[in-house]
């Protein structure tokens, strides 16, 4: 008779390899060099943090009507307080800014509805992608239901920054997917059109495209035909980031094993079915970091519209620092701008990490 | 040439072939990978294709559902000529299931979704019906309890059984197996072969590229031996193994059977 094989029981790991003390030992004090680096980092933090806190909080002035009120020697946040409306909405009429707030609240509510189980996700998505932009456009621009018309030249501040960023992101993503698929395509005409588009746009700085959009295009349009500068700039930004997006997505498409394409083909799926159902979900998931990278880049690149005379958040701040009663508040202005951009980009980055974790299906084993 | 004619000659007069290769040739660039393949497979026949690596056996099998394109000759599958016409290709692929060496399950979909994808989108089957059918096939390959897991959470043998079930969900008339056990641990080969044997017993037309000679002996109606892009010899298993005609076949058999 054979000897019966009984696997030995699994034991917990040794105590000194888990817990806070082990973490400190392993990560901060694991070698003489690490001990030195840890101590050095603490020293640098000690040098940096107290003066920044002193300047930004302890000696800061939060109330006041001009730079003269800031006498404590610290930051002059009163400047931000006075100009806050303008930084948020640009020159949008103060009585009408509720329309922007309403559009924002509406968007947040719509997105929050994804969390409700009873809501049909497909209808909700269609609503957000197709219906919401129309509502938002009329809220912003006015001209219907007795809403006062607000020229796009008055749009500005964080509102304009967000608008450029969101529209650019939402429009450039599908365009980038199509360009990436086109570049991979076996149809010679589609392929060359996509390659020429991508390579041309990528070879040109965004500033050039914005200049083209705002200055050159009107010269070529027939007299009397004039479409909105904001619209032209939006198209420019969208095309620019779509070209980058396309290359990021192409990287993802190339990383999908040939066997996935073959399995989809072998079961009789059409080209679009196999792309939408099999290839893209995997390829896009692989390149989420690259996609978010492009989004973040795009969001910050929107500051370049300052060059063509549009005053986004940074533009408005810069203009405000030239106010004669607030001279010498540049640092506060830029610190505020930096904080807003940082918060937005850090938010995007964290959100993308959450999506990545959510989509993890353990196929790294393969 | 004579051996290939013999392969053709097995067809009774008036009997229709379900897969027919007529003088099929294929090149990769200048490399002549399939040379004058003339071969017919009857409905319900189990064909095992063997041969050294690079002999063209996978390529020949993959020509049946156009994962590879042949450049000369004709392939007729279930009465439909395989050519550039997308309609023909799609019609053939609907009827031909395929199992790959590396399973090629879709890692972003659950096991159940892997099985129902093609029935829902290609056969336009209602989702509920497709799921019931998928569960039926999963029970047949004995992994119904894993239906809601992802492929990455299953062992190789389990994944390959899922892949077979996925092929069967399209109710194919022909199943192609491209080295289905070559990527598996030895302990898992049997569970996959058992499923294939069961399938063969039910009368499925099968073309199987494999090095499992035991499987060939017990299941195959005919064994096809290929080398250098040609069919060297095709015969019933006992004749093929006990009395190989060709010296190349004898050499191949002596190498794989006496290691």
């Amino acid at each position: 008779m054979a000897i019966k094989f009984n696997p030995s029981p699994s034991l917990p790991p040794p105590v000194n390899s888990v817990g806070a003390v082990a973490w400190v030992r392993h990560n901060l004090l694991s070698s003489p060099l690490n001990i030195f680096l840890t101590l050095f980092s603490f020293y640098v933090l000690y040098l940096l943090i107290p003066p920044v806190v002193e300047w930004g909080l302890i000696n800061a002035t939060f109330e006041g009507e001009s730079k003269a009120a800031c006498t404590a020697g610290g930051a002059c946040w009163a400047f931000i307080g006075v100009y806050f409306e303008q930084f948020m909405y640009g020159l949008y009429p103060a009585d009408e800014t509720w329309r922007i707030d309403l559009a924002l609240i509406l968007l947040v509510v719509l997105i929050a509805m994804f969390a409700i189980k009873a809501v049909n996700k497909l209808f909700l998505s269609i609503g957000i992608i197709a219906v919401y932009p129309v509502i938002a456009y009329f809220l912003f621009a006015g001209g219907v239901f007795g809403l006062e018309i607000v020229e796009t030249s008055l749009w500005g501040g964080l509102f304009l920054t967000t608008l450029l960023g969101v529209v650019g992101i939402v429009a450039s993503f599908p365009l980038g997917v199509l360009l990436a698929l086109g570049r991979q395509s076996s149809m010679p005409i589609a392929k060359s059109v996509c390659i020429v588009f991508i390579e041309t746009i990528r070879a040109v700085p965004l500033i050039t495209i914005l200049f083209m959009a705002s200055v050159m295009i009107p010269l070529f349009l027939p007299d009397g035909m004039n479409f909105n500068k904001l619209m032209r700039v939006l198209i420019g930004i969208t095309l620019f980031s779509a070209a980058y997006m396309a290359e990021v997505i192409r990287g993802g498409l190339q990383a999908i094993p040939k066997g996935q394409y073959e399995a989809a083909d072998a079961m009789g799926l059409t080209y679009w079915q196999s792309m939408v159902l099999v290839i893209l979900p995997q390829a896009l998931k692989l390149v989420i970091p690259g996609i978010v990278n492009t989004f973040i880049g795009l969001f910050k690149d929107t500051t370049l519209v300052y060059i063509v005379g549009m005053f986004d958040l940074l533009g408005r701040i810069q203009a405000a620092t030239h106010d004669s009663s607030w001279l010498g508040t540049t640092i506060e202005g830029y610190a505020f701008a930096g904080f807003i951009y940082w918060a937005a980009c850090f938010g995007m980055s964290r959100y993308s990490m959450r999506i990545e974790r959510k989509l993890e299906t353990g196929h790294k084993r393969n | 040439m004579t051996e290939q004619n013999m392969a053709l000659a097995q067809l009774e007069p008036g009997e229709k072939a379900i897969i027919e290769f007529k003088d099929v040739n294929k090149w990769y660039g200048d490399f002549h990978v399939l040379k004058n393949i003339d071969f017919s497979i009857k409905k319900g026949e189990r064909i095992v294709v063997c041969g050294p690596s690079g002999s063209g056996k996978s390529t020949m099998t993959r020509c049946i559902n156009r994962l590879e394109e042949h450049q000369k000759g004709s392939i007729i599958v279930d009465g439909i000529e395989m050519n550039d016409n997308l309609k023909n290709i799609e019609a053939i692929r609907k009827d031909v299931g395929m199992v790959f060496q590396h399973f090629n399950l879709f890692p972003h979909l659950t096991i159940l979704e892997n099985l129902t994808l093609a029935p829902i989108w290609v056969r336009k089957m209602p989702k509920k019906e497709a799921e019931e059918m998928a569960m039926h096939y999963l029970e047949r390959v004995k992994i119904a309890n894993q239906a809601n897991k992802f492929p990455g959470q299953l062992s190789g043998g389990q994944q390959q059984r899922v892949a077979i079930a996925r092929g069967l969900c399209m109710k194919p008339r022909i199943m192609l197996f491209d080295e289905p056990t070559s990527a598996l641990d030895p302990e898992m080969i049997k569970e996959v072969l058992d499923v294939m044997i069961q399938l063969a017993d039910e009368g499925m037309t099968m073309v199987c590229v494999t090095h499992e000679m035991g499987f060939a002996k017990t299941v195959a109606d005919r064994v096809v031996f290929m080398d250098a892009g040609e069919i060297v010899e095709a015969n019933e298993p006992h004749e093929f193994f006990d009395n190989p005609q060709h010296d190349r076949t004898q050499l191949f058999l002596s190498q794989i059977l006496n290691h």
Side-chain angles (χ1 to χ4, degrees), chain A residues 37-351:
Chain A
L37 288 176
T38 303
L39 293 176
F40 182 72
S41 308
F42 278 124
Y43 179 64
V44 170
L45 290 177
Y46 165 75
L47 286 185
L48 281 178
I49 292 177
V52 169
V53 171
E54 208 170 308
W55 176 81
L57 292 173
I58 299 170
N59 291 341
T61 311
F62 294 91
E63 303 276 331
E65 290 308 311
S66 77
K67 174 74 175 163
C70 302
T71 50
C76 191
W77 297 124
F79 164 63
I80 307 292
V82 167
Y83 270 102
F84 190 76
E85 293 280 304
Q86 222 185 71
F87 292 167
M88 293 297 111
Y89 306 108
L91 301 179
Y92 210 87
D95 294 341
E96 304 292 331
T97 52
W98 61 269
R99 284 152 54 173
I100 296 172
D101 299 340
L102 180 65
L104 180 67
I105 291 166
L106 187 60
L107 183 63
V108 170
V109 168
L110 281 173
I111 289 174
M113 275 165 74
F114 272 111
I116 305 172
K117 277 224 162 68
V119 180
N120 184 326
K121 304 269 188 308
L122 184 66
F123 283 132
L124 191 56
S125 309
I126 292 173
I128 291 179
I129 293 166
V131 184
Y132 176 76
V134 179
I135 298 174
Y137 173 77
F138 284 114
L139 269 175
F140 297 154
V144 286
F145 303 121
L147 289 175
E148 189 189 319
I149 292 179
V150 181
E151 295 289 338
T152 55
S153 54
L154 300 177
W155 302 11
L158 183 60
F159 163 53
L160 181 65
T161 298
T162 314
L163 183 77
L164 292 170
V166 170
V167 174
I169 285 170
V170 171
S172 69
F173 179 65
L175 192 58
V177 170
L178 287 180
L179 284 168
L181 290 177
R183 193 167 183 169
Q184 294 277 62
S185 155
S186 54
M187 290 183 288
I189 295 179
K191 187 173 176 155
S192 30
V193 167
C194 292
I195 291 178
V196 168
F197 178 88
I198 292 170
E199 295 303 335
T200 312
I201 298 272
R202 277 203 312 171
V204 176
L206 180 57
I207 291 192
T208 314
I209 292 177
L210 292 178
F211 267 128
M212 291 278 279
S214 66
V215 182
M216 302 279 283
I217 290 176
L219 295 180
F220 297 119
L221 289 176
D223 274 352
M225 188 178 157
N226 177 27
F227 76 107
N228 190 290
K229 180 157 97 178
L230 176 64
M231 185 60 95
R232 295 191 308 252
V233 163
L234 270 176
I235 292 173
I237 289 177
T238 302
L239 296 183
F240 183 78
S241 86
Y244 281 86
M245 191 66 70
E247 288 298 277
V248 170
I249 292 169
R250 190 166 68 97
L253 291 174
Q254 283 177 344
I256 303 300
K258 210 169 149 242
Q260 295 288 312
Y261 292 87
E262 289 179 349
D265 284 346
M267 56 175 56
L269 295 174
T270 64
Y271 172 80
W272 288 108
Q273 283 173 341
S274 64
M275 286 304 135
V276 172
L277 298 168
V278 176
I279 305 300
L280 282 174
Q282 298 182 57
L284 293 178
K285 193 194 126 185
L286 278 178
V287 293
I288 287 174
I291 292 175
V292 175
N293 211 12
T294 313
F295 283 168
I296 289 177
L298 162 73
F299 184 73
K300 291 185 296 185
D301 278 352
T302 57
T303 49
L304 288 174
V305 297
Y306 184 47
I307 293 267
V308 294
M310 295 171 84
F311 289 82
D312 69 332
L313 175 64
L314 195 67
R316 282 264 67 101
I317 290 176
Q318 226 160 6
T321 56
H322 294 150
D323 182 341
S324 57
S325 55
W326 290 104
L327 286 178
T329 50
T330 334
I331 296 178
E332 287 83 350
Y334 285 134
F336 179 68
F339 175 74
I340 301 253
Y341 281 107
W342 175 81
C345 296
F346 185 67
M348 281 195 252
S349 155
R350 299 306 295 187
Y351 183 65

Side-chain angles (χ1 to χ4, degrees), chain B residues 199-212:
Chain B
L199 197 60
D201 289 342
E202 288 163 15
M204 176 67 78
T205 309
M206 290 164 71
V207 179
C208 182
V209 178
T210 186
H211 301 292
E212 296 295 327

Side-chain angles (χ1 to χ4, degrees), chain B residues 15-52:
Chain B
E15 195 173 11
K16 277 204 74 166
I18 193 163
I19 303 174
E20 209 173 348
F21 285 80
K22 280 188 198 154
D23 195 29
V24 171
N25 281 270
K26 175 173 175 62
W27 289 262
Y28 286 130
D30 286 335
F31 179 56
H32 198 170
V33 60
L34 291 181
K35 299 171 187 161
N36 306 321
I37 304 290
D38 259 311
F39 193 68
S40 297
I41 299 168
K42 285 183 288 187
K43 188 173 181 314
E45 215 177 0
R46 277 92 60 168
I47 304 289
V48 164
V49 186
C50 60

